[in-house]
Amino acid sequence: MYKVFLVDDEPSIREGLTTIINWAEYGFEVIATAASGREAITRFDELKPDLTIIDIRMPGMTGLDVIEEVRKQHPGSHFLILSGYADFDYAKKAISFGVDGYLLKPVDEEEIIGELLRIAAVLTREQETLARHAGEDTAYREHQIEALLFDNLEGVGPIEEDALGLKWPQYQVVLLEMHTAPDVQRGGVVKRKLAEAFDQKDRGIVFSYHSGLALLCKDPITSASSAEHLYDELKRLLGEWNITMYGAAGEPANTTSEIVRSYKQANGLLAERFLFTEQRIMLWNEELAAEGTAASMIGEDESAEPEESELADKLYYALDIRSMESVIRVLGEIEERIVPYHRTEQAIKTAFSQVFSMAINKLAASNQHMQSIMQEHSVLINEVYHQLTVSDLKAMAEGHLSRLIQRMGGGSKDTALKQMIDFIRRNPGENLKLEVLAEVFNYNSSYLGKLFKNHTGEYFNAFLDKVRMEKAKELLDEGLKVHQVAARVGYANVDYFHGKFKKYVGESPSAYKHARSQSKDQPEEPDGV
């Protein structure tokens, strides 16, 4: 990551620039801000930023004053100037002094991203040039390997094994995706630690790639036991930092020109890291099906598109009856149906978040006294996108929804049939089906239907119709129109609702509503008349 120092006397500008851009996506991170030119000069030596974004006009010391002072000690430092329209000519003049560019206020997000990409390329070239001329064999070899992999040099012939000390019997790329504290990543201490164990002991070369660090190994790992041994060694080496690490190894190559193939295999495998169920090094010849439930569902055949609204209904039902056992079953079904269809990490997370969102929105709508549910909803959706694997996502959701059930009063101790009847009475407008409820309550639908008939004396659909008619009468008494009532009690077809109402109540909804309004308007007869 390239380090960015923001200097502006306006707090809103400093805060806005810090938050408006996803800096990490473009290879940068904001390490500090300063409110004045004097503060910027005082902190520059300590921070050693790769890029300073500075306001051109500040009280006391202008941005150009700061640049002039800093350049005395750091002639190669990079600056982007912020200026208003009134300072436009001033900013253009500043470019002739060697600054990297200027941005007009208010800062446009696309414009600053374009500048960041351009400057990142400049910084990268500078770093590569320094590495080439440093005379350090390790840095030079690393650069050559990165050039081979990332500058599309495949096909131009192998790099010079003798000159680089790479005349090995075989070569293998092992990619490591690491998640740890930002200061650890920024400091490069992990890379140095790995270099001590591999570069300096002639076991391989450590190099960087887009998602982390990688090893070009001299002695390939070809078995599960050797992969486990390497992973354990890496964990011991990096034990002083709290690192979550996933690895993937490509097939060993016999020549340096084939290193690209090993890299592509490892990269392709690591791209499916979201389906890993444990932290370890995967081998190029492994099937992800061996990894566990989530990965084993990935097959050659296309899976049917999951009905996210149906899954959301089931999750809502499980939450509404306050059954954590049912919630866990539904989460398992969500995984089984979403993962094989969507396959990629982003798509899977999006689908999970949509199901959670629909379910908790329903829960909040049916529990008016629990306004905090919406806050819980935003927390859950945000956490979905921070999970490293689908297993982590499920575990996080289980914990979150368990706490939500506890806030709703804890798990219900009622029998399944009582919970089911109460649920129907609370949700007459839902598209309730015995088969779906049977899944939520973990019953065979035929068996549950018989239990329900024995308990209530009525078949499920007849009982549901009666509950809906009672609710419809309440809504008609409240003055709702017939079509509104039909929709509220779960009937999309108004004519069908008319027929059901007349069957159970003995008159049409309109007639019932008219009769009730007439009875309310009729004055009571005096006693004795």
Side-chain angles (χ1 to χ4, degrees), residues 498-514:
H498 267 268
K500 285 285 186 181
F501 192 92
K502 192 167 185 178
K503 174 183 175 182
Y504 283 95
V505 181
E507 57 185 336
S508 70
S510 300
Y512 172 85
K513 186 176 182 181
H514 179 73

Side-chain angles (χ1 to χ4, degrees), residues 274-278 294 335 388-396:
F274 189 63
L275 302 178
F276 289 14
T277 57
E278 59 180 313
E335 178 190 13
L388 296 178
T389 69
V390 71
S391 299
D392 294 339
L393 196 163
K394 269 184 64 185
M396 178 279 297

Side-chain angles (χ1 to χ4, degrees), residues 117-182:
L117 292 173
R118 181 177 62 80
I119 293 171
V122 172
L123 291 169
T124 299
R125 285 196 299 271
E126 288 181 355
Q127 287 191 352
E128 291 174 347
T129 301
L130 287 173
R132 280 198 303 270
H133 293 89
E136 298 177 4
D137 290 343
T138 298
Y140 181 57
R141 290 189 302 176
E142 179 184 349
H143 165 75
Q144 288 292 88
I145 292 167
E146 291 175 355
L148 176 69
L149 297 177
F150 310 130
D151 291 349
N152 299 315
L153 296 183
E154 184 181 12
V156 302
I159 55 180
E160 296 296 329
E161 293 98 331
D162 289 334
L164 299 176
L166 287 182
K167 198 166 187 179
W168 302 340
Q170 285 188 306
Y171 313 84
Q172 181 183 42
V173 174
V174 178
L175 301 182
L176 304 172
E177 181 179 325
M178 301 180 183
H179 301 269
T180 185

